Amino acid sequence: MRSRQRLVALGLVLAAALAQQPAEAIVVERIVAVVGDDPILLSELRARAKPFLLQVQQRVRPGAEQAAAESQVFKDTLEVMIDQKLETQAAERAGVTVTPEEVENAFRNIAAAQGLTTAELFREAKARSALTEQEYRDEIRRQILEGKMLQLRVKGRVRITEDDVKAMYERTLREERKRRDYRPAWIVLQIIPGSSPEAIAERKQLAAELMTRARAGEDFAALARAYSDETNTRDVGGDLGIRAPVGSPQALQGQRPALAPDFENAVMALEPGQVSNVIQVDKGLVILKLLSRQPSRYTTYEAAKPEMVQRLQTEILDKAKRKWLDELKKRTHLDVRL
């Protein structure tokens, strides 16, 4: 009822403004979404999107690409604002609030973690994201409120077992491996187009023998120098140099070359010192050896365990949040006008 009264009051204010001001002087606020009975104004959306728009302007050249990126920022930011409006309405119904002391404590903790005073923290936020102190305070208040509502919703229902933690550890290692540089070597046996079945069978037999000898501990570099048909790397024992996984930041930014997907898939399954199966390609046969891989930052399971528990808790809360918000959306009138 209070929300409906707020909308009526907003309408009366606008009507009074229209009656008192010349038509050419009137600026009517555009509503970009209505959540329940609460409007989200275009000016609010622009203020919230401002830090992200600055990032777009810094990294994307002016033109159609920048316009598309800015449009996406507005859509993403509006989605976040709708979610937060739903959370605020749910908090009001549940009687959950955030006190000024809680906001101040949060800022003291953030500043201490960065070795700053709160005043320095506000100045840095202003310089980095163009956020005013009040905008920063509003954002932290929203985050605290969201945290309280999630804890209220899932309190007592989060159960993490040792198997869960181990599974998260293994998944994290697999994901990390896709970002770690590695150094492979190869032996390439060419198959001349039009070769007879007998000649192809001989090459395959040789490749199988070389794979077996390399796996038995014979010097891979010496085998590459003696048998490889790939002249660019034969003299260096098949060494391909340091490579980055396809899709990693190093590869995407052009800092490191990547292997072809078929070869990378084979290397990803290897530990340093191991040799792949024979890989057949259009023009020949390839055997790969992983010489080295950038060390993992996770030294042992026990050392990584606290981080894995935190990751699991965050994952559980994120899933609970999404489910909760989806339920709220089903029960709430939404009118998006962007």
Side-chain angles (χ1 to χ4, degrees):
M1 188 64 180
R2 268 202 324 270
S3 296
R4 194 171 300 279
Q5 290 172 343
R6 284 199 296 268
L7 271 183
V8 171
L10 178 60
L12 291 174
V13 170
L14 289 175
L18 286 169
Q20 295 171 13
Q21 299 293 332
E24 64 272 17
I26 295 170
V27 178
V28 179
E29 270 278 32
R30 179 185 167 194
I31 295 175
V32 293
V34 178
V35 184
D37 293 326
D38 293 334
I40 297 176
L41 304 178
L42 179 59
S43 59
E44 296 172 326
L45 176 59
R46 284 174 172 163
R48 291 290 298 279
K50 181 171 58 177
F52 308 108
L53 292 173
L54 288 175
Q55 294 175 13
V56 167
Q57 292 163 7
Q58 289 168 1
R59 72 171 189 267
V60 181
R61 286 179 292 184
E65 185 180 357
Q66 187 179 100
E70 290 175 348
S71 176
Q72 190 62 49
V73 165
F74 280 120
K75 290 178 182 177
D76 293 343
T77 304
L78 181 58
E79 187 66 30
V80 170
M81 293 178 73
I82 289 171
D83 286 349
Q84 290 173 341
K85 187 72 73 174
L86 290 166
E87 291 168 358
T88 300
Q89 292 170 353
E92 287 178 357
R93 292 192 295 270
V96 176
T97 60
V98 176
T99 66
E101 290 77 13
E102 288 174 317
V103 175
E104 290 304 320
N105 285 336
F107 276 116
R108 280 193 288 270
N109 292 336
I110 295 169
Q114 299 182 30
L116 303 171
T117 66
T118 52
E120 290 170 337
L121 184 67
F122 290 132
R123 285 197 295 271
E124 191 171 286
K126 177 72 173 177
R128 184 177 63 250
S129 304
L131 284 175
T132 66
E133 180 176 332
Q134 188 57 52
E135 288 169 338
Y136 198 0
R137 288 182 179 279
D138 290 342
E139 179 58 32
I140 294 301
R141 183 178 292 105
R142 283 188 290 266
Q143 291 180 19
I144 295 172
L145 184 65
E146 179 183 284
K148 284 188 171 186
M149 292 303 294
L150 284 175
Q151 288 298 328
L152 181 66
R153 181 163 178 79
V154 302
K155 185 178 180 181
R157 283 182 277 175
V158 177
R159 295 287 184 270
I160 297 175
T161 67
E162 189 72 15
D163 287 343
D164 294 332
V165 180
K166 288 180 179 177
M168 172 59 78
Y169 179 65
E170 294 300 325
R171 173 153 54 102
T172 300
L173 289 181
R174 289 195 298 271
E175 292 170 354
E176 186 205 34
R177 178 171 286 200
K178 296 175 183 177
R179 300 188 299 273
R180 289 157 57 194
D181 292 345
Y182 59 92
R183 188 166 191 162
W186 66 357
I187 297 171
V188 180
L189 300 181
Q190 291 182 349
I191 295 178
I192 299 172
S195 295
S196 66
E198 293 77 15
I200 294 173
E202 286 180 7
R203 299 300 275 171
K204 287 183 176 181
Q205 183 178 350
L206 174 59
E209 290 173 357
L210 293 175
M211 177 192 71
T212 300
R213 290 165 64 181
R215 286 179 171 177
E218 194 166 336
D219 189 331
F220 191 90
L223 292 173
R225 282 191 286 268
Y227 294 98
S228 182
D229 295 321
E230 212 291 307
T231 56
N232 292 328
T233 58
R234 182 172 57 206
D235 291 343
V236 292
D239 191 340
L240 288 164
I242 298 176
R243 302 292 175 122
V246 173
S248 68
Q250 307 95 296
L252 293 174
Q253 295 167 14
Q255 297 171 350
R256 297 282 191 198
L259 283 181
D262 286 348
F263 297 153
E264 180 175 296
N265 290 338
V267 171
M268 281 295 166
L270 302 177
E271 296 298 333
Q274 290 184 333
V275 176
S276 74
N277 292 326
V278 177
I279 304 167
Q280 185 163 354
V281 294
D282 289 342
K283 297 181 179 179
L285 306 164
V286 175
I287 306 163
L288 290 160
K289 179 176 182 178
L290 181 60
L291 302 178
S292 63
R293 179 178 279 119
Q294 181 183 6
S296 170
R297 75 179 183 87
Y298 300 104
T299 53
T300 65
Y301 168 70
E302 289 302 323
K305 189 173 180 179
E307 181 181 332
M308 298 303 108
V309 171
Q310 182 61 49
R311 282 174 174 244
L312 277 168
Q313 289 173 338
T314 299
E315 193 173 86
I316 291 169
L317 287 174
D318 285 345
K319 288 180 179 178
K321 173 186 173 182
R322 192 68 263 158
K323 182 179 179 181
W324 173 50
L325 287 171
D326 288 343
E327 291 171 357
L328 288 176
K329 285 182 177 180
K330 291 176 183 177
R331 300 197 303 263
T332 306
H333 169 69
L334 291 179
D335 180 10
V336 180
R337 305 175 185 177
L338 185 63

